[in-house]
């Protein structure tokens, strides 16, 4: 199982033991409203199902999902993933950080390390990510790690009763500076 390190973080595979804290963070409306796939209200006990599905998907190599943990304490801060489209040699970056840990640079640090893994280890040709345009915390991470704005798809998704624009960012391996 792959483990990735940064100065402050350890990105490790999700474990069933993470379910309680994943459920606590994912149950927060402030987290759910910034993502496309976290349900709200978050169904009790569904974090275990989510973790089991992640572990199953990891076996085919098309999904690399990590727990973002603080290296010193081992505390789970959020999750980060790189979904792989092998036929296109690209990966889609997705992440969320628990609200108590917002504004501390953890998302940027984790995303930068996963991008490095995608280009240098997985040999991807492109890494991209999308964010609701009204979620500056997310698209600022994309900009900080070097992804370039590629465009906005207007009212592209419906979430919690509202239509949202999605801003897309991407980077080609040839433009990656490491």
């Amino acid at each position: 199982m792959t483990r990735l390190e940064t100065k402050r973080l350890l990105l490790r595979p999700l474990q069933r033991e993470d379910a309680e804290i994943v459920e606590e963070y994912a149950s927060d409306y402030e987290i759910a409203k910034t993502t496309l796939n976290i349900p709200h209200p978050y169904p009790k006990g569904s974090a275990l199902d989510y973790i089991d599905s992640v572990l199953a998907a990891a076996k085919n190599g098309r999904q690399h999902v990590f727990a973002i943990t603080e290296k010193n304490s081992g505390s789970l801060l959020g999750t980060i993933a790189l979904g792989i489209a092998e036929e296109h040699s690209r990966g889609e970056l997705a992440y969320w950080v628990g609200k108590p840990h917002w504004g501390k640079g953890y998302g940027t640090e984790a995303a930068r390390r996963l991008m490095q893994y995608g280009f240098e280890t997985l040999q991807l040709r492109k890494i991209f990510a999308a964010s609701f345009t009204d979620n500056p915390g997310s698209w600022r991470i994309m900009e900080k790690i070097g992804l370039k704005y590629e465009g906005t798809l207007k009212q592209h998704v419906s979430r919690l009763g509202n239509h949202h624009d999605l801003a897309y960012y991407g980077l080609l391996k040839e433009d990656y500076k490491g």
Side-chain angles (χ1 to χ4, degrees):
M1 299 290 262
T2 302
R3 299 166 77 86
L4 306 172
E5 290 189 40
T6 70
K7 182 177 180 181
R8 300 181 297 164
L9 304 174
L10 172 64
L11 308 181
R12 60 157 175 80
L14 273 171
Q15 304 165 352
R16 296 190 96 227
E17 296 78 21
D18 296 324
E20 186 177 327
I21 193 73
V22 166
E23 191 164 309
E24 177 186 332
Y25 289 154
S27 294
D28 187 333
Y29 175 74
E30 295 300 312
I31 298 292
K33 78 175 187 177
T34 67
T35 69
L36 192 55
N37 297 318
I38 295 177
H40 189 78
Y42 198 81
K44 188 82 174 140
S46 61
L48 270 177
D49 293 336
Y50 164 70
I51 292 169
D52 287 343
S53 72
V54 162
L55 294 174
K59 291 179 183 174
N60 69 18
R62 295 181 70 91
Q63 187 78 343
H64 299 262
V65 180
F66 297 90
I68 303 170
T69 64
E70 192 174 48
K71 196 186 290 186
N72 291 336
S73 69
S75 297
L76 188 130
L77 310 172
T79 70
I80 190 163
L82 196 57
I84 309 298
E86 288 180 23
E87 64 276 18
H88 303 295
S89 187
R90 71 173 184 237
E92 181 175 8
L93 183 64
Y95 45 81
W96 62 264
V97 173
K99 191 174 176 186
H101 309 291
W102 286 2
K104 298 176 183 171
Y106 294 130
T108 301
E109 193 171 327
R112 186 173 283 123
R113 181 62 181 98
L114 195 53
M115 185 172 67
Q116 178 188 23
Y117 175 71
F119 283 133
E120 295 178 11
T121 302
L122 301 178
Q123 295 296 308
L124 296 174
R125 178 188 54 80
K126 180 178 183 172
I127 293 176
F128 73 99
S131 172
F132 296 152
T133 56
D134 61 356
N135 183 3
S138 186
W139 52 260
R140 283 188 186 128
I141 287 173
M142 296 172 201
E143 292 175 346
K144 288 177 187 175
I145 67 169
L147 273 63
K148 304 299 180 203
Y149 175 73
E150 294 187 340
T152 296
L153 300 178
K154 298 293 188 180
Q155 295 188 18
H156 193 64
V157 295
S158 180
R159 177 74 172 131
L160 302 173
N162 297 305
H163 293 293
H164 294 273
D165 298 347
L166 284 184
Y168 277 84
Y169 287 75
L171 188 67
L172 298 175
K173 184 175 184 175
E174 61 207 43
D175 298 323
Y176 170 66
K177 306 224 185 322

